């Protein structure tokens, strides 16, 4: 196909220009438009651009166009109905008879129960509108094949009207076409209900998939069409697709925990105490500042350390250095737990939520994937750079296999924190170690580790994923971590909830 079908036939009226001040008369039926959806040139350009960028749309147009002359216009109408903010159908009297079937199809589609939900996702988004059209392909294919007779009668009537050689034959052809289209109406309604439901489901699932992976609507709109299509295909077809729901729940939980933070404090809010920390003053105390007669009382209470403050307990204050997630990808991380969720899936979903956490705090994030001592891969996401979604997916998708070594990934984490300290004098980084194994470290390495912790001031959080013994007192993991817990239910994202209040 050399040129994208525009989906917009132009009126073929005869005669000179209209007199000033007079509106154009309605287009006669025999010279009617071939586009059911009213659109301006910008909408038509959007359709053409999208068509040129989508190989799938072009293939569908070629397939349907080989059997149905109306197919190209129908696809354009379906796209514009999904894309326009307020799609409007052309009056039936303005339509060419050969495209009356398209008009019925689009009218029925827009009246279908799922169209409103579909339209919320597709309006103004050419990619989503194209996805909606492609999701309707099977239903449209069957509809066009099932209404072939009605369409052929309408095309014959259109040709007869254009020729207009014998009025009675023309009238007979028009009536015959109208009867055929009327008989096809119930089938059209049934088919468009199916098409609307399928397209709404496809668009909804892809939107949810993108949101789960942290791809915002603004980023999607800026993403080139072909890259967005490749990303969606990658997320749909790889093993990562099964993780989307878990990742989404982790991100939702982390958002909630961030909202629970008390500014400049950490841990759980447990009540009210007395002191002079202005960052934790309760609102009732601040009211006194707004009343001139009570300002002296506020000042006296402040000087005496008797202001009412929010009281909290828990971990030390939020870190400032890099957030480093060391994720075990040894063979045993393939083990499934409740709900079929693997240890790897839980650990990677937690790590991706930590990536979000770091970005919200303006901190660098580093993902270190490890297994045996000779297997290590590092993914760096600086705070001052946008997190490339393809790189994020690479991090989540990579699995090294083999045994488990703590020393190699933790040494790599130390090097990164030391580099950050030397370059920016930044301390108080956070290391989160997610593993399902227990392994020893040498005494010499442990001495160096403790020296580095004292110098760099970082914290270590441990998550024993599906391995309760590794979290027991006296284990190597216990010796390495400031805070350690075991995770046994991989459907539960709240096992790590407190991390997102203190990291």
């Amino acid at each position: 196909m050399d040129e994208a079908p525009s989906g917009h036939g132009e009126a073929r009226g005869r005669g000179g220009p209209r007199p000033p001040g007079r509106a154009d008369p309605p287009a006669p039926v025999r010279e009617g438009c071939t586009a059911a959806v009213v659109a301006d040139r910008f909408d038509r350009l959007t359709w053409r651009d999208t068509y040129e960028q989508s190989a799938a749309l072009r293939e569908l147009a070629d397939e349907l166009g080989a059997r149905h002359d109306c197919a190209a216009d129908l696809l354009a109408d379906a796209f514009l109905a999904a894309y326009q903010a307020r799609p409007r159908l052309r009056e039936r009297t303005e339509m060419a008879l050969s495209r009356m079937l398209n008009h019925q199809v689009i009218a029925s589609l827009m009246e279908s129960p799922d169209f409103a939900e579909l339209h919320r996702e597709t309006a103004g988004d050419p990619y989503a509108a194209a996805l909606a059209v492609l999701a309707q392909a099977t239903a449209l294919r069957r509809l066009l094949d099932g209404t072939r007779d009605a369409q052929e009668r309408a095309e014959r009537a259109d040709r007869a009207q254009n020729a207009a050689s014998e009025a009675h034959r023309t009238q007979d052809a028009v009536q015959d076409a109208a009867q055929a289209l009327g008989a096809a109406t119930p089938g059209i309604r049934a088919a468009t209900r199916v098409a609307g439901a399928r397209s709404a489901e496809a668009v909804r699932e892809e939107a949810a998939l993108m949101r789960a992976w942290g791809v915002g609507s603004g980023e999607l709109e800026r993403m080139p069409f072909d890259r967005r299509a490749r990303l969606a295909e990658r997320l749909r077809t790889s093993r990562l697709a099964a993780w989307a729901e878990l990742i989404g729940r982790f991100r939702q939980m982390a958002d909630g925990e961030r909202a629970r933070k008390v500014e400049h404090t950490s841990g759980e809010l447990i009540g009210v105490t007395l002191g002079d920390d202005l960052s934790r003053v309760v609102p009732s105390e601040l009211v006194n500042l707004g009343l001139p007669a009570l300002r002296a009382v506020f000042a006296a209470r402040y000087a005496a350390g008797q202001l009412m403050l929010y009281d909290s307990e828990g971990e030390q204050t939020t870190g400032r250095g890099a957030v480093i997630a060391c994720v075990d990808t040894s063979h045993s991380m393939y083990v499934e737990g409740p709900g079929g969720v693997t240890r790897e899936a839980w650990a990677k979903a937690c790590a991706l939520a930590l990536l979000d956490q770091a970005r919200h705090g303006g901190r660098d994030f580093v993902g270190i994937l490890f297994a045996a001592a000779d297997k290590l891969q590092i993914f760096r996401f600086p705070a001052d750079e946008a997190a490339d979604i393809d790189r994020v997916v690479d991090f989540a998708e990579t699995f090294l296999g083999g045994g488990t070594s703590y020393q190699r990934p933790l040494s790599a984490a130390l090097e990164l924190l030391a580099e950050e300290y030397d370059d920016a004098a930044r301390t108080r980084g956070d290391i989160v170690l997610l593993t399902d194994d227990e392994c020893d470290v040498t005494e010499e390495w442990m001495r160096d580790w403790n020296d580095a912790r004292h110098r760099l001031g970082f914290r270590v959080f441990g998550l024993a994923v599906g391995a309760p013994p590794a979290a027991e007192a006296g284990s190597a993991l216990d010796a390495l971590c400031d805070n350690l817990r075991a995770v046994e239910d991989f459907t539960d994202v709240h096992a790590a909830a407190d991390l997102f209040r203190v990291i």
Side-chain angles (χ1 to χ4, degrees):
M1 187 174 293
D2 296 328
E3 181 179 351
S6 68
H8 293 267
E10 301 296 334
R12 299 187 290 271
R14 299 173 184 172
R18 64 178 173 85
R22 292 181 56 188
D24 287 324
V29 173
R30 67 184 180 86
E31 297 183 350
C33 294
T34 61
V37 178
V38 178
D40 59 26
R41 65 187 183 92
F42 299 106
D43 291 335
R44 294 195 292 270
L45 283 172
T46 299
W47 161 244
R48 292 189 182 111
D49 288 345
T50 304
Y51 180 89
E52 289 299 332
Q53 293 178 66
S54 173
L57 275 180
R58 296 195 301 274
E59 290 170 4
L60 180 61
D62 286 343
E63 177 204 338
L64 297 180
R67 302 194 307 276
H68 307 282
D69 290 341
C70 65
D73 290 315
L74 179 59
L75 294 181
D77 283 330
F79 172 87
L80 291 168
Y83 171 72
Q84 290 180 339
R86 295 181 178 84
R88 181 169 63 88
L89 282 178
R90 202 175 297 279
E91 294 294 330
R92 291 173 61 88
T93 55
E94 298 177 8
M95 293 296 299
L97 277 173
S98 62
R99 296 298 183 267
M100 285 301 295
L101 177 68
N102 289 7
H103 191 282
Q104 281 187 254
V105 170
I106 300 302
S108 183
L109 177 66
M110 291 172 61
E111 293 169 359
S112 66
D114 295 285
F115 183 78
E117 180 185 354
L118 168 70
H119 193 247
R120 282 193 293 271
E121 297 286 355
T122 60
D125 187 339
Y127 176 91
L131 177 63
V133 175
L134 294 171
Q136 297 167 24
T138 299
L140 293 178
R141 189 179 294 115
R142 291 174 179 170
L143 187 153
L144 289 173
D145 289 343
T147 57
R148 183 189 294 274
D149 179 63
Q151 179 62 28
E152 289 177 349
R153 293 186 190 188
E155 290 172 357
R156 284 198 298 270
D158 205 17
R159 289 194 296 271
Q161 281 198 329
N162 287 332
S165 56
E166 297 184 37
H168 69 280
R169 290 186 180 179
T170 299
Q171 187 63 32
D172 289 345
V174 171
Q175 291 179 351
D176 182 55
Q179 291 174 356
L181 289 170
T185 297
I188 291 173
R189 287 175 179 165
T192 52
R193 281 197 297 270
V194 172
R198 288 181 176 173
S199 57
E201 181 181 7
V203 171
R204 181 174 60 249
E205 287 180 353
E206 182 160 313
L209 188 65
M210 293 298 183
R211 283 193 292 268
W213 282 92
V215 187
S217 57
E219 183 179 356
L220 286 176
E221 290 172 5
R222 295 189 298 271
M223 193 177 293
F225 188 98
D226 56 347
R227 184 186 174 197
R228 184 170 171 181
R230 287 195 305 271
L231 174 62
E233 182 67 13
R234 182 181 184 187
L235 294 179
R236 277 196 304 267
T237 58
S238 72
R239 64 193 180 95
L240 303 179
W243 300 2
E245 192 271 340
L246 178 66
I247 293 169
R249 286 196 292 119
F250 250 107
R251 285 194 153 118
Q252 186 177 19
M253 177 273 292
D255 282 341
E257 294 305 318
R258 278 192 291 272
R260 292 180 60 189
K261 282 187 176 181
V262 180
E263 189 175 11
H264 303 307
T265 67
S266 62
E268 291 283 349
L269 180 65
I270 61 171
V272 175
T273 187
L274 300 177
D276 60 0
D277 186 349
L278 295 178
S279 69
R280 294 190 286 136
V281 174
V282 302
S284 61
E285 287 278 22
L286 293 175
V287 170
N288 293 336
L289 286 176
L291 301 173
L294 296 179
R295 286 175 187 166
V297 175
F298 182 93
R301 288 168 62 82
Y302 172 68
Q306 294 295 306
L307 292 174
M308 288 190 294
L309 312 175
Y310 285 122
D311 192 18
S312 63
E313 67 178 5
E315 309 287 347
Q316 66 186 80
T317 54
T318 303
R320 292 179 302 190
V323 177
I324 302 178
C326 297
V327 182
D328 188 348
T329 61
S330 59
H331 281 311
S332 57
M333 291 291 284
Y334 270 134
V335 173
E336 292 184 357
V341 180
T342 65
R343 297 172 179 180
E344 179 202 10
W346 195 95
K348 293 278 185 68
C350 182
L352 292 174
L354 288 168
L355 167 59
D356 287 349
Q357 188 80 356
R359 302 199 74 76
H360 276 278
R363 303 168 66 184
D364 292 349
F365 176 82
V366 182
I368 299 178
L369 304 180
F370 69 94
D374 61 340
K375 294 185 177 181
L376 189 83
Q377 196 158 344
I378 298 175
F379 295 80
R380 303 184 71 164
F381 299 91
D384 58 355
E385 297 178 11
D388 181 77
I389 182 59
D390 290 313
R391 184 74 171 160
V392 172
V393 176
D394 287 341
F395 166 64
E397 199 171 32
T398 300
F399 192 88
L400 303 176
T404 305
S405 168
Y406 289 168
Q407 289 188 192
R408 179 84 190 282
L410 292 177
S411 294
L414 284 183
E415 291 176 9
L416 291 166
L417 293 175
E419 175 185 318
E420 186 178 46
Y421 176 78
D422 292 339
D423 291 346
R426 192 178 299 143
T427 59
R428 287 171 46 200
D430 290 309
I431 299 174
V432 181
L433 179 60
L434 302 107
T435 182
D436 71 339
D437 205 354
E438 167 77 352
C439 65
D440 293 328
V441 296
T442 66
E443 291 184 8
E444 181 181 0
W445 183 90
M446 195 66 181
R447 283 195 296 270
D448 292 339
W449 169 262
N450 289 327
D451 288 344
R453 288 177 70 173
H454 178 73
R455 182 169 68 94
L456 301 175
F458 60 86
R459 298 176 296 181
V460 186
F461 301 86
L463 291 159
V465 185
E472 292 177 354
S475 67
L477 202 56
D478 181 52
L480 289 167
C481 299
D482 301 296
N483 182 294
L484 176 62
R485 85 265 348 246
V487 179
E488 297 183 67
D489 183 357
F490 306 152
T491 64
D492 180 16
V493 301
H494 293 281
D498 59 320
L499 289 181
F500 298 91
R501 294 195 296 274
V502 297
I503 289 182

